[in-house]
Amino acid sequence: MAQLSDSIEQFIKDLMEEDRQIELRRNELAQHFGCAPSQINYVLATRFSIDHGYVIESRRGGGGYVRIIRIQRSGDESSLAVLLKRIGRSIDEDSANAIISQLLESGIVSRNEALLMRAGVAQNALALPVSTKDVLRAAVFRNMVSQAFVNHQKGKG
C-alpha cells in the first residue's frame, strides 16, 4: 500500500513541478493507478495537507475536481495567515513538527531555528496535562511562526 501511495504522491508532485496549483479528477486518477478513489483521498489527506504546505479544495459530483494549491514558498502574509489558522488554539506536537519541517524546507527558518522551534513545542517542554499543553503549545507556536516570517522578510529586504 505504501508503494502505491508513494507513486500517487510523486505523480502529483511531478504534475505540480512548475505550477502552484493543479486540478485533478479523483476518479480519473484512481483509474490511472488502478485503485479505489478512497486511496486517492488517503494520499491527499496525509501527504498534501496544510502541514505539508498544501491546501486542498474539492467539489464532488459529475463535474467534480480536486484542486491542490501549494502554499507559496515565501514569507508572504497569506501563507502566514493560513499557517496561523491551521495552528489555531490547540496543536499537537506531531502537527507542529510537520509545519516546522515545511518552514525549514521553504527557507523561512534555518536549521538552527527549526531545532529551537522543535524544542519549544516538544511534549516534555512543559509539565502540564496534555490538553493544556496543546493549547499553550499553539499560543507559543503562533508567536514563533509569526516572528519567523518577520525575520524572513527582514532578511529579504
Side-chain angles (χ1 to χ4, degrees):
M1 185 83 103
Q3 288 180 342
L4 178 60
S5 295
D6 293 342
S7 296
I8 295 168
E9 175 187 18
Q10 192 56 54
F11 180 82
I12 293 170
K13 284 184 175 180
D14 288 346
L15 289 175
M16 293 188 78
E17 195 166 303
E18 294 184 20
D19 296 322
R20 198 178 136 242
Q21 76 176 23
I22 60 169
E23 283 187 15
L24 304 169
R25 299 212 184 279
R26 189 179 289 112
N27 287 338
E28 289 175 11
L29 198 54
Q31 208 170 19
H32 175 80
F33 283 97
C35 66
S38 61
Q39 180 68 32
I40 304 302
N41 290 342
Y42 170 80
V43 172
L44 293 174
T46 59
R47 303 190 183 193
F48 292 92
S49 67
I50 189 72
D51 295 347
H52 293 98
Y54 299 91
V55 174
I56 303 290
E57 298 174 357
S58 69
R59 190 178 70 167
R60 300 202 182 270
Y65 63 85
V66 175
R67 180 179 295 137
I68 304 169
I69 304 166
R70 182 177 30 234
I71 297 173
Q72 291 182 318
R73 301 247 181 222
S74 68
D76 71 356
E77 289 181 33
S78 62
S79 295
L80 175 60
V82 169
L83 283 175
L84 294 178
K85 183 176 179 183
R86 166 58 188 97
I87 295 166
R89 295 193 177 275
S90 176
I91 191 166
D92 61 56
E93 182 179 5
D94 290 339
S95 297
N97 281 326
I99 292 171
I100 293 167
S101 293
Q102 182 60 35
L103 293 171
L104 178 61
E105 185 180 310
S106 300
I108 294 173
V109 299
S110 69
R111 182 179 178 279
N112 286 339
E113 290 168 327
L115 291 171
L116 287 170
M117 291 174 91
R118 286 184 199 285
V121 300
Q123 196 70 345
N124 63 356
L126 299 166
L128 295 169
V130 173
S131 60
T132 306
K133 280 185 184 186
D134 289 352
V135 171
L136 185 56
R137 178 183 296 113
V140 171
F141 192 44
R142 279 193 311 272
N143 284 338
M144 286 191 286
V145 169
S146 295
Q147 188 61 50
F149 273 72
V150 169
N151 293 350
H152 182 72
Q153 286 297 347
K154 286 181 181 176
K156 282 186 163 184

